[in-house]
Amino acid sequence: MGRFLLKSFYMIACHPGNPRTILKQMRFIGTKSLFVVVLTAAFTGMVLGLQGYYSLAKFGSEGMLGTAVALSLIRELGPVLSALMVTGRAGSAITAEIGIMRISEQIDALETMALDPFKYLVTPKFIAAVISLPLLCAIFDVVGIYGGWLVGVKLLGVNPGAYFYEMEKSVVWRDIYSGIIKSLSFGMIIAWVGCYKGYFAGHGAEGVSRATTESVVLTSITILIWDYFLTSILL
């Protein structure tokens, strides 16, 4: 897997691929994942609003609800949950697509014609995933913050001025920067594991199904583990 990743980086630097193909992959990975990301973000923000309110109310600090919701989303939940949603929707599809091409010998045909499969199959997915994940993460953060506002301000009666004022005062560039770094690395992990598992899928439908399952599980676990190490470094 390490050699696969290094070759992917080399191909991105030397042969990034057709821009039209990259845009097509961005539409598949990013645009088509928008609905599930927005839905997850809205209810995540609403849950944070509820839980945060009842926790802060014990200390008489309901006005800090905006800070609690924003920092939780921007630093942790936004990058992680958006990456997990994309893993389930797009990462599995990437593995299945490349896996089917492997068992139907389409990849072998490309190699026979002296065409590098990485240039046509792997590189565009890497670039598209690394570009799409930070954008999805940003949308997740904004929708989640307004989900928390909806519950905290409209339902539970938190002062709307305090909600946004404390948030603006507490959220700094370092928090946003850490979320961007995480989402960039998560996009790389999704493309890396998805393409690798599909590229080396076993024979037959059983091999593709096993590769797809392994891809989703391994990607999810890797994202959570890598998130811990990044958090410990960026704090």
Side-chain angles (χ1 to χ4, degrees):
M1 288 185 71
R3 291 198 302 269
F4 188 91
L5 182 61
L6 290 176
K7 185 174 180 181
S8 300
F9 286 154
Y10 171 77
M11 292 300 296
I12 289 171
C14 298
H15 306 286
N18 189 340
R20 183 176 297 178
T21 306
I22 296 172
L23 288 173
K24 181 181 178 182
Q25 291 299 324
M26 286 179 63
R27 179 176 179 270
F28 174 72
I29 296 172
T31 306
K32 291 191 174 181
S33 300
L34 194 58
F35 175 76
V36 67
V37 167
V38 168
L39 191 65
T40 305
F43 283 96
T44 300
M46 291 165 73
V47 169
L48 283 174
L50 282 172
Q51 295 286 0
Y53 177 84
Y54 287 111
S55 298
L56 292 170
K58 295 179 181 180
F59 307 98
S61 303
E62 299 92 333
M64 298 295 293
L65 180 63
T67 299
V69 171
L71 288 178
S72 300
L73 287 168
I74 292 171
R75 292 193 66 94
E76 288 296 329
L77 293 178
V80 172
L81 289 182
S82 58
L84 292 177
M85 292 300 105
V86 173
T87 298
R89 201 211 67 82
S92 57
I94 289 172
T95 304
E97 176 190 351
I98 298 178
I100 290 171
M101 295 183 72
R102 167 62 71 186
I103 66 172
S104 62
E105 300 181 350
Q106 296 180 52
I107 294 177
D108 298 330
L110 288 174
E111 293 172 345
T112 302
M113 293 185 291
L115 299 174
D116 193 337
F118 270 72
K119 181 178 179 181
Y120 296 96
L121 300 178
V122 177
T123 303
K125 291 178 173 58
F126 260 85
I127 297 173
V130 171
I131 294 174
S132 298
L133 259 294
L135 299 176
L136 289 173
C137 176
I139 294 171
F140 191 104
D141 293 342
V142 172
V143 174
I145 287 170
Y146 276 97
W149 172 84
L150 184 65
V151 169
V153 174
K154 295 297 182 180
L155 185 63
L156 300 175
V158 174
N159 186 290
Y163 184 89
F164 287 107
Y165 174 74
E166 294 295 339
M167 182 193 309
E168 182 183 2
K169 190 170 68 173
S170 302
V171 176
V172 296
W173 168 245
R174 187 175 180 179
D175 301 321
I176 300 171
Y177 174 79
S178 66
I180 294 172
I181 293 296
K182 286 181 180 181
S183 57
L184 285 170
S185 61
F186 294 161
M188 185 198 70
I189 290 171
I190 291 169
W192 174 31
V193 178
C195 292
Y196 174 83
K197 287 295 183 180
Y199 200 85
F200 296 101
H203 295 290
E206 183 181 354
V208 175
S209 64
R210 185 184 296 113
T212 304
T213 303
E214 291 174 355
S215 171
V216 173
V217 173
L218 181 59
T219 303
S220 302
I221 292 173
T222 306
I223 284 171
L224 295 174
I225 294 172
W226 185 239
D227 176 60
Y228 168 76
F229 286 107
L230 275 182
T231 301
S232 63
I233 293 170
L234 295 172
L235 276 178

